Amino acid sequence: MQNQRIVLDTRPQGAVSQDNFRLETLAVPGLEDGEVLVRNQYLSLDPYMRGRLDDRKSYADPQPLGEVMIGGTVGEVVESRADGFEAGDRVVGMGGWQHFAALKAAELRKVPTSLPASVFLGPAGMPGVTAWVGLNDIGAPKPNETVVVSSAAGAVGGVVGQLAKARGARAVGIAGGPDKCRYVTDTLGFDACVDYKAPDLAARFAEAVPDGVDVYFENVGGRLFELVLEHINPFARIPLCGWISSYDGQDIVPIRNLPRLLVMRAKLQGFIVAESPERWPPALQELTSMLAESRLHYAESVSQGLSSAPAAFIGMLHGTNFGKQLVKLE
Ligand code: NDP
């Protein structure tokens, strides 16, 4: 059997391009004791991957050149040399941008077949847990407070607003374009959504948060961060989840009103979801029950075939995705 995979060929200078990646065909990897061979069905494309393309000190090591691109996957076990796993099991792991992966059983999570496979990379996977951890552990919204989230139509943002509503808070999204904003209010049930690409942003945002902002779940950064800071209430909490506006080689814009944090005695805290392993089980329990009871809504953008991954990844960094960006590998 042959395995197709995508490796990082060169590091981007500025914005990432499809030329930075290379498609390869190799033999399917053999197994060692304690490993299972997984046929990946869906690959998750995530903003963190952009950071790994640069050779720069961060919370994780850079993606090595010439090696298979890192990535979360859901798939089916085709062969097992590990106790507790057998052919046919559905598993989530870091299978990478490829069709087959030999993975350590200890690093895999078995998931049920009662929900569609792809949700374990979205609302019942890493993005959902990110929303849950950032909102509950840092944002800690109280009933009737106002929670604002940027990239509200995205994989993380969509879950943040729905969890905020479930806690009795008012949820306000910020998203790019009228279609995404309609989805955020009409499908996800947010109270309001502000299109950051339309004119008069400052006035429209002020109208959407008449009682100020108690929690700002930040996914985007830059000018949106500055805008929301102008409206934070005393003792506001800001889970700093991402800063995607400057991931792909854009200049980092200086934040001119940072002293608002002091004046409003606000808390700003960055977090990395992988560093809270103890929070995953309670998060997944709530998220999967909400999904099973149709109380958690989501959208997916699914690109077809491994070779479509680089273009879909670049598109996702710039907003072509509608909800969770996936690649269907079979
Ligand atoms: P999304 O599904 O939200 O996709 C990315 C979205 O970012 C695009 O669709 C686009 O939406 C938005 N975007 C891109 N550039 C800009 C810009 N300049 N201004 C405003 N919006 C922009 O991705 P995820 O939900 O997977 O991730 C959201 C954020 O969460 C990212 O910052 C990511 O790095 C972070 N994250 C952090 C984790 C952690 O542990 N801290 C874990 C997982 C994710 P639009 O069309 O609305 O512009």
Side-chain angles (χ1 to χ4, degrees), residues 47 130 151 154-156 176 180 196 219-220 241-242 247 271-273 317 321:
T130 302
S151 201
V156 173
K180 285 192 178 181
Y196 75 89
N219 285 322
V220 168
C241 177
Y247 285 0
F271 72 102
I272 297 298
V273 69
L317 290 174
N321 62 311

Side-chain angles (χ1 to χ4, degrees), residues 6 18 45 302-313 326-328:
I6 291 178
Q18 294 196 52
L45 296 177
V302 184
S303 79
Q304 299 295 323
L306 181 64
S307 60
S308 71
F313 173 62
L326 299 162
V327 180
K328 191 161 193 309

Side-chain angles (χ1 to χ4, degrees), residues 3-328:
N3 186 28
Q4 279 202 313
R5 63 180 206 168
I6 291 178
V7 301
L8 181 64
D9 193 32
T10 53
R11 297 199 186 278
Q13 307 295 321
V16 61
S17 89
Q18 294 196 52
D19 297 340
N20 295 125
F21 302 97
R22 189 177 74 240
L23 183 69
E24 289 182 345
T25 304
L26 301 167
V28 168
L31 292 184
E32 296 184 6
D33 284 342
E35 289 187 340
V36 298
L37 183 66
V38 180
R39 184 200 304 270
N40 296 327
Q41 293 167 326
Y42 287 95
L43 163 68
S44 174
L45 296 177
D46 297 276
Y48 75 82
M49 294 166 173
R50 179 61 189 85
R52 305 282 175 98
L53 303 186
D54 296 327
D55 190 6
R56 169 182 320 150
K57 196 168 160 29
S58 183
Y59 62 90
D61 290 337
Q63 163 74 38
L65 288 173
E67 288 188 18
V68 65
M69 276 292 300
I70 187 174
T73 49
V74 61
E76 189 179 303
V77 173
V78 288
E79 191 187 334
S80 173
R81 284 183 59 182
D83 291 341
F85 288 85
E86 56 185 49
D89 284 346
R90 180 188 274 178
V91 290
V92 171
M94 296 302 286
W97 295 26
Q98 58 186 343
H99 289 286
F100 291 95
L103 295 167
K104 289 190 177 65
E107 292 167 6
L108 287 174
R109 185 161 63 90
K110 256 201 236 188
V111 292
T113 50
S114 51
L115 290 169
S118 57
V119 301
F120 298 104
L121 300 177
M126 186 276 281
V129 176
T130 302
W132 194 98
V133 169
L135 186 70
N136 289 323
D137 295 355
I138 303 171
K142 299 182 199 69
N144 301 318
E145 284 192 332
T146 298
V147 174
V148 173
V149 57
S150 51
S151 201
V156 173
V159 177
V160 170
Q162 294 178 84
L163 287 175
K165 291 292 293 176
R167 309 280 185 265
R170 186 164 176 273
V172 177
I174 303 175
D179 292 345
K180 285 192 178 181
C181 275
R182 232 181 338 268
Y183 160 74
V184 165
T185 51
D186 298 2
T187 304
L188 302 184
F190 284 47
D191 297 281
C193 184
V194 178
D195 175 359
Y196 75 89
K197 291 183 174 169
D200 303 323
L201 173 61
R204 285 183 297 106
F205 184 74
E207 257 172 50
V209 293
D211 300 325
V213 176
D214 300 294
V215 177
Y216 178 38
F217 193 106
E218 178 60 289
N219 285 322
V220 168
R223 292 283 170 252
L224 291 183
F225 184 77
E226 223 173 48
L227 170 70
V228 180
L229 271 194
E230 282 303 308
H231 294 271
I232 56 172
N233 287 330
F235 305 104
R237 288 83 64 198
I238 307 179
L240 180 48
C241 177
W243 203 271
I244 198 168
S245 60
S246 60
Y247 285 0
D248 198 20
Q250 302 96 332
D251 288 337
I252 296 182
V253 300
I255 303 301
R256 296 165 296 191
N257 58 354
L258 215 48
R260 292 280 302 164
L261 293 173
L262 168 64
V263 175
M264 290 296 148
R265 291 85 79 208
K267 175 169 92 170
L268 170 69
Q269 190 181 329
F271 72 102
I272 297 298
V273 69
E275 293 176 353
S276 304
E278 76 293 351
R279 302 300 278 152
W280 284 59
L284 288 171
Q285 190 180 353
E286 180 173 5
L287 294 164
T288 47
S289 342
M290 287 175 79
L291 278 166
E293 294 159 16
S294 302
R295 290 187 290 118
L296 185 60
H297 305 285
Y298 62 95
E300 294 175 340
S301 288
V302 184
S303 79
Q304 299 295 323
L306 181 64
S307 60
S308 71
F313 173 62
I314 293 165
M316 181 266 303
L317 290 174
H318 297 281
T320 57
N321 62 311
F322 207 112
K324 174 68 206 155
Q325 181 65 58
L326 299 162
V327 180
K328 191 161 193 309

